[in-house]
Amino acid sequence: MHPSSLLLDLVAASSAILALAGWGMVWRLSRHTGPVQSSTTTETRPDDITRLADTIPGMALILGPMGQVLACNAEAQARYGDSLNALLRHPNTRDALNTALNAPPAAGTGLPAACSATITLDVPIRRSIRLSMRRLAGASGRDSLVLTLLNDRSTIRAVDRMRADFVVHASHELRTPLASLSGFIDLLRTDDPAESSSRTLYLDIMDQQATRMQRLIDRLLYLSQLELNTHQRPRDRLDVEELFARILGEVTPRFRDASRQLDVRQEEGLTLLANEDELVQLFLNLIENAIRHATRPDHPLHVRLQARRATPDDHPAAGTAGILLSVEDDGPGIEAHHLPRLTERFYRVTDRPDGSSGADQGTGLGLAIARQILDRHGGRLHIESTPGRGTACLIWLPAALPPPAGMQGN
Amino acid sequence: MVRQRQHIVQRYEDELLHLRSLMEQMGGLVEHQLSLILAGITGNDARTALQAAHQDDTVDALEHEVETLAIRLLALRGPMAADLREIVACIPMAGALERMGDYASSIARRLSEMEQPIPHAARLALGEMGRLVLDHLRRVMDALERKDASAARAIWEADQLVDQYCETMTADSLEQMTLHPHTIRLHIALLFVIRNLERIGDHTTNMAERVVFMVTGAMLPPSRPHGHAGQEPRRP
């Protein structure tokens, strides 16, 4: 930006502040919270407050004395649109707001003291946000205005958490295969060297366990990496056709023999805002699950990959607008009471209807990874299943808007 | 005369804003309580969880304040239509939040009284269930603030997930008790925690019903979908 235009902006902002301070401010302030506006008052919001918020380079809000949002600039809306209400009703925010409202003007500058708070939100994704607040001088009582700046601290917190989580999960989940490995090492030591058949068996099992540990560590690392990026929404445009072409390239070799069939259906012209590698990974995990649990020898497995626009008739948990992607199979299915817990880390269904488990057991992280990827994309995963008939994994993702023409980019 | 009228309208709107602000504060506090419990469960840190119990008095005081203000608005201002529904709905919603706060404190105390650490698998599951319940509460509070009936309805329907969690986790705990009798005390405490989380979920659906009523004036059917109901997969 050219320096002189920046200067102009600053002049505009300060004149806005002066204007606010000078007027008696008898306007009715309607409430503005996120994308949906409350409609109890129909009078317009004062332009100056909006302009002031828009001028600030960074995430900024202007709050009224009861914590109501009078203005929210585009940066704050883009980043925290879905968490703004939760952020503002948090007790730490309320405490900071009360302190800011009652801060007396400082002797020298006449400016009320600034105050701040750090808020951690657990849902929908883990976020840590630092708020700084200052009451604008000049207005008081019911006309008070509090300028609020937001700073994201999620990454710093996420690194700490990631380390802690990794250590906890790795130490618990690696214990079992490690115990099995050392058990077989002991056996090999004491075993009669003449019996080579049992040696091969032991070594096979040890090899399996080592592979399992390797895969577990890879997946845990991948999951940690995803967690670090959770609070950054992908901004790349991705055509579903392109995505499906890549997925097909990866899985076709597994559908070569007659016991498995893959069927793809997609509407044209679907575009997502998404990270391609992550979505490919997500679908590979789902397809992998379908293949792993298909255990009916006489019955070929059908997997259907589908993409279409969501409609209002769709399951509310899956989302009613946006794009619905799905992976369906006609495998053994899963009992209903397991469904909500499938995306839990290390949750494994132990009482599958067909009695499968054990040998080809997954890491218990595939669906946890899927959910983590969807969290970052602002999407949702909904699993439906009927034992004996099959499982459907529905993935709902917001559609990418057509590229804005002439609008300021965010 | 006009000035005075304007003054009265302004007072009324301020009081309505204040009522909403109180509801938001209550919701924020209960969400915070649940967050503390979650941190306590996943971080194996009972002291953090216990902070949730200390906030109970504030929640109770806020409920009282909501009730007083709502009654005052009804008695003195004669609100109509949407405003009337909103004010009336606030009273049971504040009651629901107060109950949730009680359950949260009770969970916090259970956690702090546990003599054995919660096993890894149960801790993960409990953390997930807690996150689910907290997410539902967040969504219902957002629906209330944004006056979004369809969002509220979605939560009302999603509560069966919480019920299913409760069911599988109860089964897990019972199995552990039969297998390892020395963990019975621990698992009984866990069962109470699971049950209380499930009750918090129930009160979230009660709130969702009130939000739908507040926005549309219509009541939802008395029986809500439940975890036991057969699930027919809807093919896309």
Side-chain angles (χ1 to χ4, degrees):
Chain A
M1 184 185 266
H2 194 269
S4 68
S5 67
L6 184 70
L7 193 67
L8 277 178
D9 269 359
L10 283 175
V11 171
S14 49
S15 67
I17 296 172
L18 285 178
L20 290 174
W23 297 348
M25 288 196 288
V26 286
W27 48 55
R28 304 297 309 133
L29 304 176
S30 77
R31 201 178 141 70
H32 173 69
T33 41
V36 180
Q37 249 180 334
S38 157
S39 58
T40 44
T41 49
T42 49
E43 284 94 337
T44 47
R45 206 153 22 117
D47 293 339
D48 284 324
I49 296 183
T50 315
R51 214 167 78 211
L52 173 59
D54 289 345
T55 312
I56 294 164
M59 297 178 282
L61 303 166
I62 295 176
L63 304 179
M66 282 187 252
Q68 70 273 42
V69 180
L70 305 179
C72 167
N73 71 3
E75 285 95 332
Q77 183 66 50
R79 185 101 188 224
Y80 294 126
D82 55 343
S83 297
L84 216 49
N85 298 52
L87 180 66
L88 291 174
R89 61 180 177 253
H90 194 282
N92 295 1
T93 311
R94 292 289 169 159
D95 289 347
L97 179 70
N98 285 336
T99 316
L101 282 170
N102 297 318
T109 56
L111 282 174
C115 58
S116 55
T118 304
I119 318 289
T120 305
L121 299 176
D122 285 307
V123 286
I125 54 173
R126 246 177 227 121
R127 274 176 166 152
S128 188
I129 301 143
R130 180 123 181 116
L131 290 165
S132 316
M133 291 180 167
R134 174 174 267 153
R135 180 164 56 86
L136 294 182
S140 63
R142 67 184 304 279
D143 297 321
S144 297
L145 298 172
V146 177
L147 178 62
T148 307
L149 301 181
L150 309 176
N151 257 304
D152 202 283
R153 298 292 176 92
S154 308
T155 318
I156 306 165
R157 283 284 308 255
V159 173
D160 290 348
R161 263 202 100 89
M162 184 196 87
R163 251 184 239 133
D165 282 3
F166 185 83
V167 171
V168 170
H169 295 316
S171 57
H172 277 88
E173 293 296 320
L174 291 176
R175 207 166 276 169
T176 322
L178 258 181
S180 147
L181 266 186
S182 42
F184 281 106
I185 290 174
D186 280 351
L187 265 177
L188 281 174
R189 280 221 177 97
T190 54
D191 207 27
D192 180 4
E195 279 192 54
S196 64
S197 66
S198 54
R199 274 182 91 95
T200 329
L201 177 69
Y202 295 164
L203 285 172
D204 281 351
I205 297 176
M206 288 169 72
D207 186 39
Q208 255 179 32
Q209 294 297 336
T211 317
R212 188 174 154 205
M213 285 167 74
Q214 181 65 49
R215 199 165 47 155
L216 192 69
I217 292 173
D218 288 347
R219 293 231 148 177
L220 267 176
L221 282 175
Y222 184 67
L223 193 57
S224 303
Q225 200 55 49
L226 285 174
E227 271 178 355
L228 274 188
N229 299 328
T230 325
H231 44 270
Q232 289 160 2
R233 279 271 178 100
R235 302 259 166 90
D236 300 328
R237 298 174 68 82
L238 172 65
D239 287 334
V240 172
E241 272 175 66
E242 234 171 89
L243 171 70
F244 275 20
R246 248 195 82 185
I247 296 168
L248 285 181
E250 301 256 5
V251 300
T252 314
R254 310 208 52 181
F255 287 88
R256 277 220 182 103
D257 65 285
S259 68
R260 295 176 192 144
Q261 283 178 20
L262 182 67
D263 162 30
V264 181
R265 283 191 203 173
Q266 53 178 318
E267 270 179 35
E268 282 181 7
L270 302 177
T271 308
L272 306 161
L273 284 184
N275 178 303
E276 188 175 341
D277 290 339
E278 289 179 13
L279 284 199
V280 170
Q281 184 63 53
L282 162 72
F283 278 92
L284 290 185
N285 287 0
L286 296 179
I287 296 171
E288 184 65 33
N289 276 348
I291 294 175
R292 177 178 303 123
H293 299 299
T295 46
R296 286 185 281 179
D298 50 329
H299 180 92
L301 174 77
H302 293 268
V303 177
R304 176 186 292 167
L305 191 59
Q306 197 170 200
R308 62 172 175 82
R309 281 176 189 85
T311 66
D313 297 333
D314 286 325
H315 195 289
T320 52
I323 294 174
L324 204 60
L325 302 150
S326 60
V327 176
E328 293 169 61
D329 65 62
D330 57 355
I334 306 158
E335 298 283 351
H337 59 270
H338 290 298
L339 294 179
R341 296 187 58 184
L342 291 176
T343 58
E344 207 176 280
R345 280 164 199 209
F346 306 116
Y347 188 78
R348 297 184 185 95
V349 177
T350 45
D351 57 337
R352 287 198 168 265
D354 55 342
S356 78
S357 69
D360 194 17
Q361 204 178 33
T363 52
L365 287 174
L367 287 174
I369 287 175
R371 190 179 65 173
Q372 195 72 44
I373 291 173
L374 284 174
D375 276 356
R376 162 157 131 88
H377 285 77
R380 259 176 264 164
L381 173 66
H382 179 71
I383 304 174
E384 295 177 341
S385 188
T386 316
R389 278 177 50 190
T391 306
C393 299
L394 309 181
I395 292 155
W396 175 86
L397 282 165
L401 299 171
M407 290 272 293
Q408 57 176 38
N410 281 302
Chain B
M1 185 61 195
V2 175
R3 265 183 96 91
Q4 199 185 356
R5 217 185 135 67
Q6 204 173 29
H7 182 69
I8 291 171
V9 172
Q10 207 168 69
R11 278 286 300 272
Y12 170 61
E13 291 197 351
D14 276 357
E15 281 177 341
L16 206 55
L17 270 183
H18 188 205
L19 184 68
R20 286 178 192 147
S21 166
L22 288 173
M23 289 301 293
E24 287 161 24
Q25 283 176 57
M26 264 193 103
L29 267 169
V30 179
E31 281 172 312
H32 187 48
Q33 282 181 303
L34 276 174
S35 266
L36 289 169
I37 288 170
L38 269 179
I41 292 170
T42 49
N44 201 12
D45 171 13
R47 217 183 311 159
T48 304
L50 205 54
Q51 286 175 27
H54 300 152
Q55 298 188 348
D56 209 25
D57 291 346
T58 326
V59 177
D60 290 355
L62 277 170
E63 187 210 4
H64 186 70
E65 221 178 314
V66 167
E67 235 176 60
T68 315
L69 181 59
I71 290 169
R72 186 188 146 83
L73 274 161
L74 290 175
L76 297 182
R77 309 286 179 195
M80 311 249 272
D83 282 0
L84 175 64
R85 288 201 303 272
E86 180 174 353
I87 296 164
V88 169
C90 275
I91 299 174
M93 282 195 289
L97 283 169
E98 188 269 335
R99 294 301 303 148
M100 291 188 222
D102 279 353
Y103 287 123
S105 316
S106 142
I107 293 172
R109 277 190 288 270
R110 290 265 174 213
L111 289 174
S112 69
E113 284 161 12
M114 279 186 189
E115 289 156 7
Q116 294 159 287
I118 307 174
H120 185 58
R123 205 158 59 209
L124 284 180
L126 211 53
E128 285 299 319
M129 185 182 179
R131 259 176 76 90
L132 190 65
V133 171
L134 174 59
D135 194 44
H136 287 181
L137 175 57
R138 170 190 73 95
R139 283 163 60 193
V140 91
M141 283 304 300
D142 283 356
L144 166 65
E145 290 184 39
R146 293 172 184 170
K147 299 195 168 33
D148 183 343
S150 65
R153 216 196 143 101
I155 301 155
W156 187 72
E157 284 171 5
D159 186 60
Q160 57 175 305
L161 289 181
V162 178
D163 293 344
Q164 285 165 341
Y165 245 97
C166 180
E167 214 177 296
T168 51
M169 291 189 59
T170 306
D172 285 353
S173 269
L174 290 176
E175 195 187 325
Q176 291 300 316
M177 281 195 239
T178 18
L179 288 176
H180 312 288
H182 64 279
T183 60
I184 284 184
R185 288 171 79 90
L186 170 82
H187 281 285
I188 286 178
L190 275 183
L191 285 177
F192 275 109
V193 173
I194 295 165
R195 180 80 188 138
N196 283 349
L197 278 177
E198 190 258 346
R199 295 296 299 147
I200 294 177
D202 281 349
H203 281 290
T204 312
T205 52
N206 290 345
M207 280 186 72
E209 281 168 26
R210 301 292 172 174
V211 173
V212 173
F213 168 74
M214 179 183 108
V215 181
T216 65
M219 296 294 247
L220 287 170
S223 70
R224 84 191 149 75
H226 200 267
H228 295 291
Q231 270 196 320
E232 275 297 298
R234 191 185 315 221
R235 296 290 165 170

